[in-house]
Amino acid sequence: MSAIDLNARASDSFDAKLAETTALLQQAARDYAASNPFGPPRVTLACSLGAEDMVLAHLINQLELDIGIFVLETGQLHPETLALMNRLRDTSRAPVELYLPIRKDVVQFVEREGKDAMYKSIELRKACCHIRKMEPLARALAGKSAWITGLRREQSGARAEVPFIDDSELATKGLRKFNPLAAWSWADVWHYIDQHSVDFNPLHDRFFPSIGCEPCTRAIAVGEDFRAGRWWWEDEAAKECGLHVKKSEGAVA
Ligand code: SF4
């Protein structure tokens, strides 16, 4: 059974949620338009190529919004994810930028700690995430005033309070974060994908709800938590790569 057959069902308030999401994206594009006609937009979508981010990329393109899109190409993505990334780059109206880790840092880390270092300790896993995700993320957001994510409250306990607009990084990094899908259910996401024939990662059809790097993602079983397939060997509280965790929560390596 495909992910669409399994999941696509609109909640009663789906139309209102979609209107809310559309309004937030339009606000982001309006408030953070390029500072000159030839400049890049000051707001960008962090696209993991997961189902939620494919919905957001589709909306940005369909609404013809002046919002950039970037992908953190960690060097550890599944072949299916890389193929989807290339299809998105080929079809997206909004430019899709790739950010790769610094090669020297990856080579030194793997030589020193081994290619399976992420399984040895939380510290090494976070060090790997820092090199492959956090440092490229800092480059992707340099010069930006706002970013957009596909975070949803339903995804995990740690994300239960996700606001539509998060200004917690405004004072320290000068960044506003928009979470336009905060109120969407997983079924809403798949309803939108079904209705609009949005391209998606075929791994979703193989019970991968949340897709990250290949060594750190597995399929989940019936009844398991949405994020159970990510860093499954770690405690629940540690299960973020640092992209969406505040300093006070201590997850950034
Ligand atoms: S998710 Fe895994 S492979 Fe990817 S950067 Fe983090 S530790 Fe490394």
Side-chain angles (χ1 to χ4, degrees):
M1 190 182 250
S2 75
I4 288 179
D5 293 338
L6 204 57
N7 300 300
R9 273 179 312 282
S11 55
D12 290 344
S13 52
F14 177 78
D15 290 343
K17 289 180 190 173
L18 180 57
E20 199 169 36
T21 298
T22 300
L24 263 178
L25 289 172
Q26 288 169 329
Q27 178 190 339
R30 189 177 59 243
D31 291 354
Y32 298 98
S35 44
N36 71 66
F38 306 107
R42 292 180 297 132
V43 54
T44 184
L45 167 69
C47 181
S48 69
L49 302 156
E52 293 91 345
D53 294 337
M54 294 307 291
V55 167
L56 289 171
H58 185 269
L59 277 165
I60 287 167
N61 282 317
Q62 196 185 46
L63 298 167
E64 300 190 4
L65 298 176
D66 189 19
I67 293 174
I69 299 175
F70 74 89
V71 174
L72 300 179
E73 207 291 64
T74 64
Q76 294 277 26
L77 300 179
H78 297 79
E80 293 88 344
T81 308
L82 292 172
L84 177 61
M85 180 184 81
N86 289 330
R87 293 199 300 276
L88 179 65
R89 293 191 87 195
D90 288 344
T91 56
S92 176
R93 174 185 173 277
V96 180
E97 292 186 280
L98 305 187
Y99 285 86
L100 282 75
I102 297 170
R103 186 175 158 68
K104 172 176 67 68
D105 292 352
V106 172
V107 169
Q108 286 177 352
F109 180 77
V110 172
E111 277 179 1
R112 192 173 64 245
E113 309 293 351
K115 67 179 171 46
D116 294 334
M118 66 286 288
Y119 305 124
K120 295 179 187 168
S121 70
I122 289 180
E123 288 69 30
L124 285 176
R125 197 273 288 167
K126 287 183 178 174
C128 183
C129 282
H130 183 80
I131 291 169
R132 293 183 184 274
K133 292 182 172 179
M134 297 304 293
E135 187 283 327
L137 175 71
R139 270 186 281 128
L141 296 179
K144 301 295 181 206
S145 300
W147 59 313
I148 297 169
T149 83
L151 293 183
R152 292 183 301 108
R153 294 174 191 144
E154 189 194 61
Q155 282 168 333
S156 70
R159 297 182 179 184
E161 309 272 320
V162 165
F164 286 114
I165 296 179
D166 181 351
D167 280 340
S168 60
E169 294 176 333
L170 201 53
T172 51
K173 298 181 184 170
L175 280 170
R176 167 168 280 187
K177 187 195 278 189
F178 289 90
N179 304 306
L181 300 184
W184 285 40
S185 67
W186 187 229
D188 287 330
V189 171
W190 285 96
H191 175 67
Y192 184 94
I193 287 173
D194 185 25
Q195 277 210 317
H196 297 273
S197 302
V198 177
D199 197 4
F200 65 88
N201 194 325
L203 289 173
H204 287 304
D205 287 334
R206 288 183 248 151
F207 302 101
F208 286 72
S210 175
I211 303 168
C213 294
E214 192 164 14
C216 300
T217 306
R218 67 162 170 81
I220 65 168
V222 175
E224 276 194 304
D225 182 72
F226 186 88
R227 300 269 296 170
R230 302 292 295 279
W231 306 295
W232 59 93
W233 62 95
E234 292 183 357
D235 283 348
E236 192 57 38
K239 281 190 178 186
E240 293 284 356
C241 60
L243 263 68
H244 302 298
V245 181
K246 299 181 183 83
K247 279 276 186 196
S248 58
E249 290 165 0
V252 179

